Amino acid sequence: MASATLPPASPQIMAAKIEDTDGHDKVEAIIDFVAAHFHFHSTQSLTYGKIGLSMLSDNPNNDQAARLLSHLARAHISKRELSEAKELAQRANVLAVQSGIEANQVLARLVSADVATRQKNFAVAEADLATAMALAANIGHDRYLARARQLSGVLNVQLMRFDDALADFLHSLNLYRNLQDTYRASSIHQSLASLYRKMNLYEKVLIHQNKAIQIAVELKDDRKLGIYYSNKGTYFEEIGDYNSAIDMHLKSLEYKKVLGYKMGMIHTYNRLGSAYRLAGDFSRSESSLMEAEQLKQAINRYDTNISTYLDLGRLYLDTGELKKAEDYLNKSLPLYLGSPWEDRIAEIYQAFAQLSLQRGEANQAIEHYLRAIEIAHRHQRDSQVLQYHRELAQVYERVGQVQEALRYLNAYLLRQTEWEDRNNQYRLSALSVEFDVEEKEREIAALVQENRIKDLEIEKQAFQKGAVLIALVLAFGTVFFLYFWYSKNKQLKIEQLALQQVSDAKERLRLALWGSGDELWDWDLAAGVITRDNRLGNLQLPDAQIGSDLGTLKASVHPQDYIRLQEAFNRHLNGESDYYEVSYRVKDKQGSWLWVLDRGKITTRNEAGDAIRACGTIKDISELKATELALAELNKSLEKRVEERTERLQQSRDELANTLKELTEMQSNLVEAQKMASLGRLVSGVSHELNTPLGTAITASSVLTQSLRSFKDKLDSGKLTLSDTQAFIDVTESCAQLVDSNTARAAQLVKRFKQASAQEYINSNDPVELKSFIEAFLAYRIKESKVKVELDCRDPINISSNGLALEKILEDLIANAIDHGFDAAEGCILIQVRQQEEMITIRFSDNGKGIDKAELAQIFEPFHTTARHKGSVGLGLYMVFNLVTYVLNGSIQCKPNVPQGCTFEVVFPAKIK
């Protein structure tokens, strides 16, 4: 039993024992090693475990196999490999049942419950723990029963059942004390400290944390000291004592360095970085966090203590290095997703909000705060929800959204009151649970004492039967004297223990009242006596003999508030409410009025139902009332400011309406002017293009007419010669060719003008498989061209559209690239086709000489060309624009590429309606 009070032997000693043994003794030594070092030496434990399992496969032993598998599962739990742990625990349970050893079944169930709790399979965990407790109680295995109680406490903490968790931990602590197992009792003190931390009872946190450290120091357990000092540092950090927090973390780091516990060192470096930052020592903060990052790289475990990036982000926020802060916060976010610490994502969004505020992006900060509040509320992080409401109200006030600022400020005040009430409830329920557990322990001790007395009586009777009368008298006298002396001595010890327990309970109550700042009153209505603990010194409330009438308080309570107090108290006194709660003003010793919150309850009634005892608390809420009054004044001023702002907005709206009317009229005039300008450019372009061929044809016709007259005159006068005839024929042929070619050009131009009109294309919905359609078009159109065309269309795309229009669009775009982009030289064209829902996008890109920005605005206008000297008319892109817009019901844009070329993006529906 004594060995249970000491930490396990070092891994070197236990490893040497493994090497020195064989057979089942070697397996037993491996089991001892894994059971003792599964947490701090997980990898080495798993390595030895494989050796043990291999030996057991050759020489099966269900007892050893069940225990080894259970402890190996605990090693996987330490490495957060829960799936592997669950599988091993299930195998261990099967072998434990086959071995017929109930203790092994309890162990397997306990490990299974631990895994289920971590995986949040709470129903499975509760079932496993219930089975484990029943089996442990049946075989009288108090050590496993204590472990089951401890795991039950952890489960109840997860389920927010703090009263049940407290009872579990206290029962577990008593069991370990009875077993004289101070080593594991220290772990329960640590669990109690963590629980009280969640209940915001920091005075109890430090009591149990110091007790855990005291035991670890006595046992010289460096492993536990490394963890306990780190946890104590975290508690100091939360209550704002940053220097003490730094001292605790530095102590923890020393122990972890000696142990070579690198994952624990990462955690401590993270906490040191946070504490240094909060203390304003940014240089040491950065150094500590970088040490954590280097250790992560060394062990290649980026899932370990993932707060490094979050702490670095917060550090660089404080130092104003916003780009670094943003990078580390973005790195931190994906690490928390799906992790056991997913609730800390709320802290990341709060940091993003502060980053946005430093950049002057208030609206973005508001979005981040709303996200942080939603996550914190979902994970029941009430303290964070309270903090974020207050900060968000300040942001809304900064941007002038006074109504939203008021709403979140009210929410903050309401939640603060609820928070304080819940903390008071935690204090009272903790005292109640502690008292109940101690009462049960005293009852158990009394029953044990009773049984011992009965055993002594039975022994005495047996002795009397075997002795002579005189010996019996002497023996009886001696036994009676010894029994009397023993009983008296035992009674004194019990009374001393009871007095000590009462003293401890009073001390805990005193600390609880000191922590909350509340005054506890206890009114014996039958005797008319009231006692007050942790008295609020400034209040003129009567104590001691005040009688049984509430009227005694009338002189101390504000006249306007006394009636409300009397009504609330009388309603509760008559059984109309479970308790009463009322705020009122009380006169202090200087004659001023202070606001207090009085909460009370009738705790005892006699057989007739009359109240004979009442208890309650009084809390000074003067600051809260002052805040409410300030809030009321703020409401009044806000209403006035809202009215003034509404009036200014009305004036601005009228001015904007007049301006909008003027702009609308101006826009209409500009549209008409643009229409006339476009029409003028169209007429000018048509006349210019037709003028040249028609003018040439007219000139040739005029020359032909003149030559014909000259020829006729010479013929009529008889002066016509052979040379005159030949010259007439040459002129006639030349003029005829000119007339023919130029009239043909004019006709071709007219045809081009007609093609430029979308009305020339009949409406049609041709089924087109776009990929095959473009491939066929390219194979036919560019087979002899120097231009290389690449098609990027991943999958076949079926559309219902105008095939002729699509073909003409592609033809003109390719011709435009060859004639203008490449100057008929070599080049590359990329055609990308994509479908998104019901829309088709074709991107036509070339690497040619590109388009000047000055030309982009007119590129789709009719007759606009930069190659008129080459015979270009300037209708190609105009025709493409008409076909895309009016035939395909789509749109087209031209974008210059970097560094060269340009891109035409055509977007149109897959089905023409």
Side-chain angles (χ1 to χ4, degrees):
M1 185 68 71
S3 61
T5 65
L6 298 175
S10 68
Q12 294 79 11
I13 294 175
M14 300 187 80
K17 184 178 180 180
I18 293 174
E19 299 299 326
D20 294 340
T21 53
D22 296 310
H24 286 294
D25 290 338
K26 187 182 189 73
V27 174
E28 200 64 40
I30 289 174
I31 294 172
D32 291 341
F33 182 96
V34 178
H37 300 289
F38 66 87
H39 182 69
F40 290 95
H41 301 280
S42 305
T43 302
Q44 190 175 0
S45 295
L46 292 172
T47 301
Y48 278 132
K50 290 180 181 178
I51 296 173
L53 292 175
S54 176
M55 295 177 66
L56 288 171
S57 65
D58 296 332
N59 298 290
N61 184 312
N62 289 340
D63 172 26
Q64 289 184 326
R67 286 184 286 127
L68 179 56
L69 287 171
S70 293
H71 293 308
L72 285 175
R74 299 172 76 185
H76 281 296
I77 292 173
S78 296
K79 298 186 72 173
R80 300 194 187 96
E81 297 168 352
L82 300 182
S83 298
E84 293 85 344
K86 181 179 180 180
E87 180 185 353
L88 292 181
Q90 291 173 344
R91 289 172 56 191
N93 189 55
V94 171
L95 291 173
V97 172
Q98 292 176 359
S99 71
I101 301 175
E102 292 180 317
N104 292 344
Q105 298 176 39
V106 176
L107 176 60
R109 290 284 187 176
L110 291 176
V111 176
S112 176
D114 193 2
V115 174
T117 300
R118 294 170 187 268
Q119 291 181 328
K120 299 189 183 304
N121 295 329
F122 299 132
V124 174
E126 286 184 317
D128 284 336
L129 286 173
T131 302
M133 287 183 187
L135 286 172
N138 185 50
I139 61 177
H141 203 307
D142 286 349
R143 193 174 306 283
Y144 280 165
L145 185 58
R147 174 62 178 162
R149 280 287 195 175
Q150 183 180 7
L151 289 175
S152 178
V154 173
L155 173 62
N156 282 319
V157 169
Q158 292 281 334
L159 296 172
M160 304 292 287
R161 300 191 302 223
F162 293 155
D163 289 355
D164 294 338
L166 180 58
D168 284 329
F169 287 141
L170 290 175
H171 281 301
S172 178
L173 180 61
N174 286 326
L175 286 169
Y176 282 132
R177 282 173 175 171
N178 293 336
L179 292 168
Q180 298 181 3
D181 191 345
T182 55
Y183 173 73
R184 289 177 176 82
S186 68
S187 298
I188 303 301
H189 282 295
Q190 175 61 59
S191 299
L192 283 167
S194 299
L195 173 60
Y196 283 127
R197 176 189 173 195
K198 290 182 176 293
M199 299 170 74
N200 300 298
L201 305 180
Y202 280 95
E203 66 278 1
K204 291 181 180 291
V205 170
L206 294 177
I207 289 173
H208 286 282
Q209 191 65 52
N210 289 335
K211 186 63 176 176
I213 292 174
Q214 178 187 348
I215 295 174
V217 169
E218 292 172 356
L219 296 176
K220 298 180 181 180
D221 189 347
D222 292 348
R223 298 186 305 180
K224 287 187 179 293
L225 285 172
I227 296 173
Y228 294 168
Y229 277 125
S230 178
N231 290 339
K232 188 174 181 180
T234 302
Y235 302 152
F236 278 129
E237 185 178 332
E238 290 179 351
I239 63 177
D241 190 351
Y242 305 128
N243 292 329
S244 296
I246 292 169
D247 291 342
M248 292 300 104
H249 289 314
L250 289 174
K251 284 186 178 181
S252 171
L253 189 60
E254 291 176 3
Y255 285 107
K256 291 176 180 178
K257 284 182 178 179
V258 172
L259 292 168
Y261 182 32
K262 292 184 178 180
M263 288 192 293
M265 290 167 62
I266 293 172
H267 174 76
T268 302
Y269 276 124
N270 285 338
R271 301 317 319 143
L272 267 175
S274 176
Y276 277 130
R277 176 182 63 84
L278 292 170
D281 193 341
F282 298 142
S283 175
R284 290 184 178 177
S285 174
E286 184 177 37
S287 175
S288 298
L289 293 172
M290 288 305 173
E291 288 284 354
E293 178 64 13
Q294 291 174 8
L295 274 176
K296 287 183 181 181
Q297 294 176 1
I299 65 175
N300 196 26
R301 283 290 298 274
Y302 286 92
D303 62 324
T304 304
N305 299 300
I306 54 183
S307 68
T308 307
Y309 292 151
L310 173 57
D311 289 326
L312 281 169
R314 287 169 163 170
L315 169 65
Y316 291 128
L317 271 178
D318 290 346
T319 59
E321 300 174 80
L322 304 186
K323 184 63 175 67
K324 285 185 178 180
E326 183 177 23
D327 291 342
Y328 278 112
L329 291 175
N330 283 324
K331 284 182 180 180
S332 177
L333 187 59
L335 294 177
Y336 278 108
L337 291 171
S339 76
W341 309 279
E342 199 167 25
D343 57 312
R344 297 201 67 186
I345 295 177
E347 299 177 46
I348 299 176
Y349 277 105
Q350 189 248 6
F352 273 127
Q354 293 178 342
L355 175 67
S356 298
L357 287 176
Q358 291 196 38
R359 288 176 170 173
E361 301 168 351
N363 291 331
Q364 187 69 29
I366 290 172
E367 292 181 10
H368 288 317
Y369 268 123
L370 291 174
R371 180 66 174 145
I373 289 172
E374 186 269 327
I375 295 172
H377 181 72
R378 186 170 69 245
H379 290 279
Q380 298 179 329
R381 296 292 296 272
D382 294 336
S383 60
Q384 289 182 349
V385 174
L386 190 66
Q387 174 188 351
Y388 300 160
H389 271 79
R390 185 180 68 252
E391 293 177 3
L392 181 56
Q394 294 171 350
V395 176
Y396 273 125
E397 185 177 5
R398 181 184 302 181
V399 299
Q401 298 186 33
V402 291
Q403 294 295 336
E404 289 298 318
L406 185 60
R407 183 163 73 89
Y408 278 95
L409 184 58
N410 283 328
Y412 162 71
L413 292 173
L414 177 61
R415 289 180 180 275
Q416 186 182 40
T417 302
E418 293 175 350
W419 171 268
E420 292 176 351
D421 289 345
R422 184 161 55 253
N423 288 345
N424 289 334
Q425 283 298 115
Y426 284 155
R427 289 186 178 91
L428 293 175
S429 62
L431 288 173
S432 176
V433 171
E434 291 169 355
F435 179 79
D436 288 344
V437 172
E438 291 172 359
E439 185 66 27
K440 288 180 181 178
E441 291 299 323
R442 284 194 293 271
E443 290 176 1
I444 292 172
L447 289 173
V448 170
Q449 181 65 24
E450 235 179 84
N451 290 333
R452 287 178 179 174
I453 292 172
K454 289 180 179 179
D455 291 340
L456 287 174
E457 289 178 352
I458 293 171
E459 291 176 3
K460 182 183 68 175
Q461 291 172 4
F463 179 76
Q464 287 174 341
K465 293 178 181 179
V468 296
L469 182 58
I470 189 167
L472 178 62
V473 173
L474 292 174
F476 176 77
T478 304
V479 170
F480 177 78
F481 173 76
L482 292 173
Y483 174 73
F484 175 78
W485 178 83
Y486 173 79
S487 299
K488 191 66 177 177
N489 189 50
K490 191 68 175 178
Q491 182 64 30
L492 289 173
K493 288 183 178 180
I494 292 173
E495 290 177 358
Q496 289 174 354
L497 178 61
L499 289 173
Q500 183 61 42
Q501 290 172 341
V502 170
S503 177
D504 292 344
K506 286 183 177 180
E507 179 63 16
R508 288 194 294 270
L509 179 60
R510 187 187 65 80
L511 290 173
L513 292 173
W514 170 82
S516 66
D518 293 349
E519 174 185 308
L520 176 67
W521 56 265
D522 187 349
W523 190 3
D524 187 341
L525 295 170
V529 177
I530 189 169
T531 57
R532 301 183 184 276
D533 292 318
N534 197 43
R535 186 183 178 100
L536 299 179
N538 283 335
L539 301 182
Q540 290 188 9
L541 288 174
D543 56 4
Q545 292 290 340
I546 68 169
S548 303
D549 186 3
L550 192 66
T552 311
L553 303 178
K554 191 170 184 179
S556 302
V557 178
H558 196 284
Q560 296 178 0
D561 302 335
Y562 177 74
I563 297 175
R564 189 167 65 255
L565 170 62
Q566 187 179 42
E567 290 177 351
F569 182 80
N570 289 337
R571 280 198 304 271
H572 176 58
L573 197 64
N574 297 329
E576 298 177 13
S577 61
D578 294 335
Y579 64 93
Y580 79 89
E581 177 177 305
V582 62
S583 58
Y584 53 86
R585 284 164 287 184
V586 178
K587 187 180 296 184
D588 64 8
K589 293 180 179 178
Q590 289 74 35
S592 301
W593 295 104
L594 297 180
W595 279 97
V596 298
L597 176 65
D598 188 356
R599 304 183 69 207
K601 183 175 183 179
I602 301 299
T603 58
T604 308
R605 294 180 183 270
N606 58 22
E607 295 179 356
D610 298 327
I612 59 175
R613 185 180 180 186
C615 296
T617 60
I618 293 178
K619 185 179 188 66
D620 185 350
I621 59 170
S622 299
E623 293 183 3
L624 181 61
K625 280 294 181 179
T627 304
E628 289 180 1
L629 292 174
L631 182 60
E633 290 297 324
L634 177 62
N635 284 340
K636 292 180 181 179
S637 62
L638 287 177
E639 290 174 1
K640 184 177 180 181
R641 288 163 59 186
V642 168
E643 290 176 0
E644 293 173 353
R645 183 166 295 182
T646 302
E647 184 177 351
R648 291 197 297 270
L649 289 175
Q650 182 67 34
Q651 294 174 356
S652 300
R653 188 184 69 178
D654 295 340
E655 294 173 0
L656 288 173
N658 293 332
T659 304
L660 179 61
K661 183 178 179 182
E662 294 173 1
L663 289 174
T664 303
E665 293 175 356
M666 186 181 296
Q667 184 183 29
S668 300
N669 294 335
L670 288 174
V671 170
E672 290 299 325
Q674 189 175 9
K675 287 182 181 178
M676 297 304 295
S678 298
L679 180 60
R681 287 196 296 271
L682 177 62
V683 172
S684 174
V686 171
S687 62
H688 174 78
E689 294 299 331
L690 290 177
N691 183 58
T692 300
L694 291 179
T696 303
I698 291 171
T699 301
S701 177
S702 176
V703 171
L704 181 61
T705 301
Q706 185 177 357
S707 296
L708 180 61
R709 287 175 182 172
S710 175
F711 179 80
K712 184 178 180 182
D713 290 343
K714 289 181 180 182
L715 181 62
D716 290 343
S717 63
K719 297 179 181 180
L720 183 68
T721 64
L722 182 61
S723 60
D724 291 335
T725 303
Q726 186 63 45
F728 175 72
I729 292 172
D730 291 340
V731 170
T732 302
E733 287 180 347
S734 178
C735 290
Q737 288 177 355
L738 286 172
V739 170
D740 184 57
S741 63
N742 281 279
T743 53
R745 175 170 172 75
Q748 182 65 28
L749 285 172
V750 171
K751 182 179 180 182
R752 290 292 304 275
F753 297 157
K754 292 176 66 180
Q755 288 177 338
S757 172
Q759 280 75 18
E760 292 299 314
Y761 288 80
I762 61 172
N763 292 330
S764 65
N765 285 343
D766 305 324
V768 177
E769 197 285 288
L770 205 51
K771 184 176 181 180
S772 301
F773 176 84
I774 297 176
E775 288 175 343
F777 170 80
L778 295 176
Y780 173 72
R781 295 289 182 182
I782 62 168
K783 56 185 178 180
E784 296 180 357
S785 174
K786 298 179 182 179
V787 175
K788 179 182 177 182
V789 181
E790 180 182 352
L791 174 62
D792 179 9
C793 184
R794 299 171 185 170
D795 302 308
I797 300 175
N798 294 304
I799 65 173
S800 177
S801 190
N802 193 312
L804 291 175
L806 276 172
E807 185 175 353
K808 185 61 178 173
I809 291 168
L810 293 172
E811 180 180 353
D812 284 354
L813 289 176
I814 291 176
N816 181 73
I818 294 173
D819 295 341
H820 300 283
F822 308 128
D823 290 332
E826 296 181 355
C828 296
I829 295 173
L830 172 62
I831 301 176
Q832 293 178 303
V833 183
R834 298 288 185 269
Q835 181 174 9
Q836 187 174 6
E837 295 180 353
E838 296 299 321
M839 299 302 292
I840 305 297
T841 300
I842 299 178
R843 290 186 181 88
F844 186 96
S845 305
D846 65 64
N847 64 344
K849 63 183 181 181
I851 302 174
D852 292 338
K853 291 184 179 180
E855 302 289 336
L856 283 176
Q858 300 174 330
I859 194 169
F860 293 117
E861 291 188 1
F863 304 108
H864 176 78
T865 180
T866 58
R868 199 175 298 280
H869 60 284
K870 296 181 182 180
S872 176
V873 179
L875 290 176
L877 291 180
Y878 172 66
M879 185 180 300
V880 170
F881 179 83
N882 283 347
L883 292 176
V884 172
T885 304
Y886 302 111
V887 177
L888 300 186
N889 297 331
S891 63
I892 183 171
Q893 288 183 330
C894 179
K895 304 175 182 178
N897 293 346
V898 178
Q900 62 182 7
C902 70
T903 295
F904 289 91
E905 184 175 273
V906 179
V907 181
F908 59 93
K911 293 183 180 181
I912 298 178
K913 298 180 181 179

